[in-house]
Amino acid sequence: EEGPTTEADEFQDSEGSEASEGSEGETEHNEEEEDFCPVGGHDADEQLFEDAMEQLRQQHMSEADNSDNGDDDESGLEDSDEDERGGEEVEAAQAFNEEKRAAPPDDDDGQVKARREALLDSLEKHLLFRGCAREFLETLLDRSTRTCLAPNEALKLQDGPLFLIETGVLKLSVGSDRHSLLGRGGIVNGAGFLRLHAEARAYRPRRISFKPQQHPRSNRANGYDVQGYNGRAPSIYTDFRGPPKQPEDYDGPDENKTCFFNTCPFACSSKSQLTRGTWMTYTVCGGEPGDAPVEAGASSLSRGGATVLALPSMQNIQDFLGGRVGKGGDGCVKAELSAKTVAPFKQNCEQVSSTWRELMSKFIPVAFPGAPVEAVQALAEIGDRVTVPKGVDVVTEGEVGEAGDSLVVILDGVAMVLKKAKVVKGIVQMETLGRLRAGAIVGETSMIGAEIPRAATVRAKTDVEAVRFPARALLRVIARFPGLLVTSTDRLVDASECIKERLLTRTEVASSLNLFSGCDLGFVNDVANSGERRLLVLGDAVVQQGSTAGTLFVLEHGRVTIEVSGIGTVAEVPSGNCFGERTLLGIADKANATVRVFTPFALALAIPRRVLHRALEDHPGEKAHFERLKTAHQDGRIAGSKVRHVDFFRSCSTGFLETLNSNVTSCMYLRGQTIVVEGDVETDPSMFILTGGIIVCEREGRPLARMSPGATFGELAMLGLFKERAVTIRAVTLCFVMAIPSSVFNKALAQFPEEKVFFDRAQDGSKKGPAHVVWPCLRGEPSRLLYLLDLYAEKASCAAGSKRLGTSPFNEAAILILEGEVSVLNEEGEEVAVLTTGSCFNERILVGARAKQTERLVPITHCEVRLVNRETWSKVMAEFPKDLDKVRTAILRYMGDQAEKRLGFQPGTPALLREKTAFFSSVSTSFAKLARSLAETRIIEPGSEIVPEKRVSDISDDNDFVQELYILLQGAAVSWSPLLGHRRVKCGEAIGEGVFVGASRLYPQSVKAKTLCVIQVLRRELVFEAMEKHGAQDT
């Protein structure tokens, strides 16, 4: 049979094929085309190679003729046929010389001992040898054989020995041109050592035809069952691209059911899967000159390549542990050594092999289809087999970091997916979303390191057996086998594109850097808009050590590691940091470390040096700023301006803000996830800053208000003023949120005690000082509410005659005059009122009415104003749910009083009632005052009816019978009756007095508002009940 091709659909089973593969010097290992060579077939070669290496050591410093040793070339790594072993002597000499160059130098005893101890330490850390006696590991090294690899020379992987790197570097490739480097102490061929290659035939990937999942319930065989939902499974990360209004048209599962798919993203439909019936190719070869491994203490050989130690095969270990194999004077291995080592060694091997089989059947076909056997064995080594008792959480809602990123594969048992819905008096109310069975996967590989809290809890309904993959260990395996992510390309692209939609603009990112602090916004905008957002995948170098490119990178999403050649990884850095600023400014000639992506993907804003120089040419005034920076410290972190721009901290010092900024945490939430839950009591409550996306405030499942980027919430909980969360905050789209825990805030206060004066005002809700101005429509309301409202409200200054107050956002907000005088003009430009310090305008929007469009404000003098828009008002009132109705009533009462005042009547007195109605003109003054106190103020939107037409013609249903007296206080309204037709209703006019006193069941005319109207309403039931209690005189 012919030798194997790079990919094939079937195993090559015949011995003739295996021999052919060996004779052709196959350099690529394909798991489908295994060379199942007997382990014993290498014994002679191993002995020959040991003899050759001994001769090499003796002749290392001599110039002896190498041709005399040509026959020893048979000791090379490659499995060869007899005719190849008897080839040309020139080829044998060349191979021998390659081995000589790759052989380790004749070090002194101290160096040899140190290298041996380092290799023993590496073996001790490996799962297969965990718990084994040191003597056993020493025996393995004593019985190993050394193999020398030239640069790019392939290492033959098969069922047989375990290879331990002694010196140099090995290059590992999986299915693509991407590769990883493994240095001294690295171990390969774990699958072959456990004899899993032959067993892998039963798990060969099959050709599949992908069809999008339409009904999650029909997917029960795959382990997922969504309770109460039979619709289409969402396409993860792609449903909410585009403008924020898109979620309004969403027709998939509701918010809580969406959390089921957020918890188990592999239950969602995907655009593509592997369609070939083969494993990805996996090759291991010697490194090239200059290849630098990441491991600390590891280094490459000057001419490339590597030396590896072939440890005894599993069969040989079993033989010498049983005392059946002896060597020279060593004789048999002592019985006590066998007793010490065989138990943990055997247990470790059985555990890894068992986990490997479970992964091959339940995890790999879904998460990493086509992954080679060696990669699956590496995953099995890091997987923790756990048994979760009934009623115990497998994962818990809200977990973040390492716990929140870990993947869990259910092997056996049933688990329920539960969502925290509400907390009542300390009792958590959970909603059941669905159930998981064997084969279900909790978590998502493409979003490891994205800091997404668990969307729901998975709780064992029966005893559950599972495999848990720690996030960082999983990332290290993927970094070692980088081709594993090829099959997840679509998911990575979908996730990155969705995240890009919610990131800050490039100008916002650049302006938040210390590097551009104090620069003109136009200059920053030119630099940022010329930058480029780059998608980087695991293993990509953001900055390469020694690079002179001078490009600044701002990490916006993902995590990276900092690597120094010869030292290894020195730090792991989250998003929110920048790299390359020293070479950008010319402070350093080249980068002193490599910055490498450590998460499945990362997003970074790249600003090349040429972009900065071009912008400086257009803005020469900024050159002095960058000259000063060359002698200033660069901390490589985004500035505290993200916190500084929050109104809550606008009066704080820079040092305090930087301390907060260095300790804030950032999280990402998917649609439907809850950030906080109504009634929840947290041990370390946080304040949140929304930096991207849209959220909604809910109370008892009803939406109250939406918030956009820049909004903050939870301040009072962080300050310790409220123990319970007043509302539920839920993500409407994918959101980015910064959190400041109470512990971080208090720690910063301890460092900057002078800041406590500002925040202590929140404790008593007061603003000290004579210049404090209170909203007149909210006098008497909770002092903490007034404090929070002033804290959030935007403050602005306007010059005399400025038209600014007549434009957005001023004409869409309630305005409080803090200082100065402002004229109120109507559509004709006539002055209808003058607002002075302490007056407010447009307060109607606080009760949900439309803003005034017929009047505009023009400052008479220089003025200071405070603005409160609907979003700010909703956020503040979300903290005071019990006061919502009372506050609304107070605002309406204020509006009614101001309207009475404009009509020439004293607000709050019965003067208007007594003058405009015959009924109240005849009652006592004391009763009229009582009736006035029972009046309520209402707002009627334009086009709405004050008196419906059906109350004029006929009332057949007693439920429609209403006995109310209306007085128009402000606005324009039109009445209609069969006798009089249409006529304008005047301000101050009473409507329906006959119905109110009981003289008629029908109103004489219908009334409709033309503009927004303010009316005073008295209900007969309340007034006459009070009349009976007041006394017989008025009755």
Side-chain angles (χ1 to χ4, degrees):
E1 297 182 33
E2 296 181 357
T5 58
T6 302
E7 294 180 359
D9 295 334
E10 301 295 338
F11 282 100
Q12 302 295 328
D13 295 330
S14 67
E15 295 181 358
S17 175
E18 295 163 2
S20 175
E21 293 167 9
S23 63
E24 292 179 13
E26 177 65 21
T27 60
E28 293 186 353
H29 177 69
N30 191 317
E31 304 294 345
E32 299 176 327
E33 303 160 341
E34 287 295 336
D35 294 330
F36 298 107
C37 299
V39 175
H42 293 282
D43 289 348
D45 285 346
E46 291 174 358
Q47 185 60 50
L48 286 172
F49 187 72
E50 288 181 359
D51 296 339
M53 291 307 301
E54 182 62 28
Q55 294 179 30
L56 282 172
R57 294 188 188 97
Q58 295 173 1
Q59 300 174 14
H60 180 68
M61 302 300 293
S62 69
E63 298 297 332
D65 186 3
N66 292 332
S67 62
D68 294 338
N69 300 312
D71 293 338
D72 292 331
D73 186 47
E74 297 178 9
S75 60
L77 171 68
E78 293 293 329
D79 226 2
S80 306
D81 292 335
E82 291 299 328
D83 54 349
E84 186 176 1
R85 292 195 180 108
E88 296 292 336
E89 289 190 5
V90 173
E91 296 176 358
Q94 291 174 348
F96 180 84
N97 288 331
E98 290 292 332
E99 292 172 351
K100 179 178 178 181
R101 284 194 295 270
D106 190 10
D107 298 329
D108 58 41
D109 292 342
Q111 291 177 318
V112 172
K113 184 177 180 181
R115 184 163 59 235
R116 179 181 175 86
E117 289 298 318
L119 295 177
L120 288 172
D121 291 341
S122 298
L123 288 177
E124 278 187 328
K125 296 175 183 178
H126 198 274
L127 178 63
L128 294 180
F129 304 106
R130 191 173 299 166
C132 296
R134 189 83 167 187
E135 296 89 342
F136 173 58
L137 303 182
E138 291 175 346
T139 302
L140 293 183
L141 284 185
D142 291 339
R143 293 176 171 272
S144 64
T145 58
R146 181 176 287 109
T147 299
C148 307
L149 292 178
N152 294 317
E153 181 182 355
L155 179 64
K156 195 69 172 182
L157 301 179
Q158 57 196 12
D159 284 350
L162 190 69
F163 295 107
L164 175 65
I165 304 176
E166 183 181 25
T167 60
V169 177
L170 289 183
K171 185 164 57 177
L172 285 62
S173 302
V174 176
S176 67
D177 294 334
R178 299 178 61 84
H179 64 267
S180 62
L181 301 176
L182 199 59
R184 188 179 69 188
I187 294 176
V188 295
N189 201 36
F193 180 69
L194 295 174
R195 296 178 286 199
L196 298 176
H197 287 159
E199 191 175 344
R201 295 183 180 186
Y203 303 101
R204 181 176 65 86
R206 301 180 182 278
R207 294 183 181 276
I208 58 175
S209 176
F210 175 73
K211 294 182 180 179
Q213 178 185 338
Q214 297 296 326
H215 301 287
R217 187 174 293 277
S218 66
N219 197 31
R220 293 178 63 173
N222 292 332
Y224 306 101
D225 182 14
V226 186
Q227 182 167 314
Y229 177 70
N230 292 309
R232 179 180 60 86
S235 298
I236 194 67
Y237 311 130
T238 61
D239 286 331
F240 309 107
R241 290 190 192 172
K245 65 181 181 181
Q246 187 171 349
E248 299 289 351
D249 303 324
Y250 176 69
D251 60 354
D254 62 26
E255 287 82 357
N256 281 344
K257 292 297 187 297
T258 301
C259 288
F260 178 95
F261 296 102
N262 291 339
T263 306
C264 305
F266 283 105
C268 297
S269 57
S270 178
K271 292 192 297 185
S272 68
Q273 278 185 305
L274 190 70
T275 57
R276 57 179 185 177
T278 180
W279 277 300
M280 290 182 281
T281 57
Y282 173 56
T283 59
V284 177
C285 60
E288 298 180 13
D291 282 344
V294 177
E295 294 85 354
S299 60
S300 60
L301 299 176
S302 59
R303 300 196 181 192
T307 60
V308 297
L309 299 178
L311 302 181
S313 66
M314 182 68 74
Q315 183 61 53
N316 286 343
I317 292 176
Q318 292 172 351
D319 288 342
F320 74 69
L321 282 177
R324 294 191 296 271
V325 176
K327 183 176 180 181
D330 294 337
C332 298
V333 179
K334 294 181 179 180
E336 55 266 26
L337 176 61
S338 177
K340 286 181 180 180
T341 59
V342 71
F345 174 69
K346 181 179 179 181
Q347 181 180 356
N348 294 340
C349 292
E350 289 177 351
Q351 177 182 339
V352 172
S353 298
S354 175
T355 303
W356 178 87
R357 296 182 189 98
E358 296 283 6
L359 297 182
M360 290 293 285
S361 62
K362 295 182 175 68
F363 179 62
I364 296 303
V366 178
F368 299 111
V373 178
E374 188 76 12
V376 183
Q377 186 269 334
L379 290 171
E381 287 183 2
I382 66 167
D384 297 330
R385 291 287 288 266
V386 294
T387 299
V388 183
K390 177 181 178 181
V392 177
D393 290 352
V394 180
V395 299
T396 304
E397 181 178 353
E399 289 178 334
V400 72
E402 184 73 10
D405 285 340
S406 62
L407 261 66
V408 179
V409 182
I410 305 245
L411 303 180
D412 192 24
V414 178
M416 306 302 294
V417 182
L418 307 172
K419 177 78 182 68
K420 184 189 293 184
K422 190 178 180 181
V423 181
V424 180
K425 295 181 179 180
I427 301 175
V428 180
Q429 298 178 357
M430 307 291 283
E431 178 181 345
T432 301
L433 306 182
R435 67 180 66 192
L436 306 178
R437 296 182 173 82
I441 303 173
V442 180
E444 162 68 296
T445 52
S446 64
M447 299 303 283
I448 296 176
E451 298 296 330
I452 303 178
R454 294 281 188 194
T457 293
V458 176
R459 184 169 297 163
K461 186 177 182 181
T462 64
D463 288 350
V464 170
E465 185 179 357
V467 177
R468 185 186 301 272
F469 295 103
R472 280 171 174 74
L474 182 57
L475 289 175
R476 283 193 289 269
V477 171
I478 298 176
R480 182 174 172 180
F481 303 93
L484 291 179
L485 288 178
V486 171
T487 56
S488 302
T489 300
D490 288 333
R491 300 175 77 89
L492 294 177
V493 172
D494 288 344
S496 64
E497 290 299 321
C498 188
I499 289 173
K500 283 182 182 179
E501 294 283 346
R502 311 303 175 197
L503 289 174
L504 298 174
T505 65
R506 285 179 289 184
T507 300
E508 289 175 318
V509 173
S511 62
S512 67
L513 297 175
N514 283 327
L515 191 66
F516 298 106
S517 178
C519 292
D520 178 71
L521 185 59
F523 168 75
V524 177
N525 187 65
D526 289 348
V527 172
N529 288 334
S530 298
E532 175 190 4
R533 270 202 173 115
R534 296 183 184 178
L535 171 63
L536 305 164
V537 298
L538 180 67
D540 281 351
V542 184
V543 176
Q544 189 70 48
Q545 184 172 356
S547 170
T548 59
T551 299
L552 174 72
F553 290 92
V554 185
L555 186 63
E556 299 182 84
H557 174 79
R559 302 180 75 88
V560 297
T561 55
I562 310 297
E563 303 168 1
V564 178
S565 180
I567 299 177
T569 300
V570 297
E572 182 181 323
V573 182
S575 59
N577 289 271
C578 58
F579 314 95
E581 66 277 11
R582 292 176 60 82
T583 54
L584 175 75
L585 297 175
I587 300 174
D589 295 332
K590 55 186 178 181
N592 57 7
T594 295
V595 180
R596 194 178 305 279
V597 177
F598 186 57
T599 47
F601 73 95
L603 294 170
L605 176 63
I607 301 177
R609 182 187 294 152
R610 55 179 172 76
V611 169
L612 177 63
H613 288 176
R614 186 166 61 244
L616 286 174
E617 291 176 359
D618 297 335
H619 302 266
E622 302 294 340
K623 291 183 179 181
H625 168 75
F626 288 93
E627 288 298 324
R628 289 192 300 269
L629 285 179
K630 291 183 179 181
T631 59
H633 172 66
Q634 296 296 318
D635 61 6
R637 194 174 164 77
I638 288 181
S641 55
K642 275 192 174 181
V643 177
R644 185 181 299 114
H645 292 164
V646 176
D647 288 337
F648 192 74
F649 301 111
R650 62 188 172 192
S651 300
C652 298
S653 65
T654 300
F656 177 79
L657 297 178
E658 290 295 343
T659 301
L660 280 183
N661 187 73
S662 61
N663 292 282
V664 298
T665 58
S666 298
C667 290
M668 187 172 78
Y669 292 84
L670 302 178
R671 179 189 184 273
Q673 281 191 260
T674 51
I675 302 171
V676 298
V677 175
E678 180 182 355
D680 202 3
V681 178
E682 303 163 8
T683 56
D684 190 14
S686 296
M687 166 190 172
F688 299 94
I689 304 167
L690 181 64
T691 58
I694 299 176
I695 59 176
V696 63
C697 300
E698 298 176 353
R699 185 178 296 115
E700 296 181 352
R702 293 181 293 103
L704 300 178
R706 286 193 175 189
M707 299 184 192
S708 302
T712 60
F713 53 95
E715 295 90 337
L716 297 185
M718 181 194 69
L719 292 174
L721 302 181
F722 290 157
K723 293 183 178 180
E724 296 182 357
R725 294 291 185 179
V727 295
T728 293
I729 305 293
R730 189 187 300 273
V732 177
T733 66
L734 183 146
C735 293
F736 289 100
V737 175
M738 290 198 308
I740 305 176
S742 179
S743 58
V744 169
F745 175 76
N746 291 328
K747 184 177 179 180
L749 280 183
Q751 292 182 246
F752 299 87
E754 65 275 9
E755 301 292 342
K756 296 183 67 175
V757 177
F758 174 76
F759 295 105
D760 283 345
R761 296 173 184 170
Q763 303 296 331
D764 57 11
S766 64
K767 281 260 189 175
K768 297 177 174 61
H772 178 52
V773 179
V774 178
W775 289 82
C777 58
L778 297 174
R779 285 195 176 97
E781 299 308 320
S783 56
R784 289 178 180 172
L785 185 154
L786 298 175
Y787 171 78
L788 198 60
L789 187 64
D790 288 350
L791 197 62
Y792 287 139
E794 181 182 351
K795 191 175 179 180
S797 300
C798 294
S802 171
K803 298 181 180 180
R804 185 183 179 191
L805 293 180
T807 61
S808 180
F810 296 90
N811 59 3
E812 299 171 355
I815 298 177
L816 174 66
I817 309 300
L818 300 177
E819 183 182 337
E821 293 185 353
V822 179
S823 178
V824 182
L825 306 180
N826 60 18
E827 291 180 300
E828 289 75 26
E830 300 172 345
E831 184 177 85
V832 295
V834 174
L835 303 178
T836 58
T837 300
S839 302
C840 62
F841 179 78
N842 237 359
E843 65 275 2
R844 64 181 68 186
I845 73 161
L846 304 182
V847 291
R850 299 178 185 178
K852 290 185 178 181
Q853 302 296 330
T854 58
E855 298 176 342
R856 56 190 176 90
L857 302 182
V858 177
I860 300 174
T861 65
H862 174 84
C863 64
E864 300 281 340
V865 299
R866 183 168 287 143
L867 312 177
V868 175
N869 56 30
R870 285 188 176 88
E871 185 175 287
T872 298
W873 177 253
S874 298
K875 180 175 65 175
V876 171
M877 292 311 301
E879 301 286 354
F880 302 88
K882 296 180 180 179
D883 297 307
L884 187 61
D885 292 338
K886 184 167 72 72
V887 171
R888 177 183 173 84
T889 301
I891 296 172
L892 291 173
R893 184 186 300 115
Y894 172 80
M895 295 177 63
D897 290 347
Q898 295 303 303
E900 279 188 275
K901 188 176 181 180
R902 290 185 181 182
L903 291 175
F905 297 93
Q906 182 67 28
T909 68
L912 177 63
L913 283 176
R914 294 176 71 83
E915 180 173 320
K916 298 297 182 180
T917 65
F919 175 78
F920 286 104
S921 66
S922 62
V923 299
S924 64
T925 302
S926 60
F927 177 71
K929 289 182 178 179
L930 177 63
R932 174 63 181 85
S933 67
L934 298 174
E936 64 175 290
T937 304
R938 295 179 188 173
I939 290 182
I940 308 299
E941 294 286 346
S944 298
E945 295 178 320
I946 300 174
V947 178
E949 189 173 342
K950 63 181 179 181
R951 294 183 186 174
V952 177
S953 57
D954 182 33
I955 298 179
S956 57
D957 189 351
D958 288 341
N959 293 327
D960 295 331
F961 181 55
V962 176
Q963 293 178 291
E964 294 180 334
L965 172 66
Y966 308 104
I967 299 178
L968 180 64
L969 300 178
Q970 181 179 314
V974 176
S975 67
W976 178 87
S977 67
L979 295 178
L980 302 177
H982 291 89
R983 73 176 185 86
R984 180 182 177 185
V985 180
K986 299 179 181 179
C987 287
E989 182 177 338
I991 304 169
E993 185 176 3
V995 176
F996 176 78
V997 300
S1000 173
R1001 286 176 56 88
L1002 299 177
Y1003 284 83
Q1005 54 200 355
S1006 63
V1007 182
K1008 179 180 292 187
K1010 288 189 65 179
T1011 64
L1012 189 139
C1013 293
V1014 179
I1015 62 174
Q1016 194 174 92
V1017 182
L1018 285 90
R1019 296 170 55 190
R1020 173 188 168 89
E1021 179 183 355
L1022 294 178
V1023 173
F1024 276 71
E1025 182 180 346
M1027 180 187 290
E1028 293 176 359
K1029 293 180 180 180
H1030 187 264
Q1033 177 183 353
D1034 291 310
T1035 304

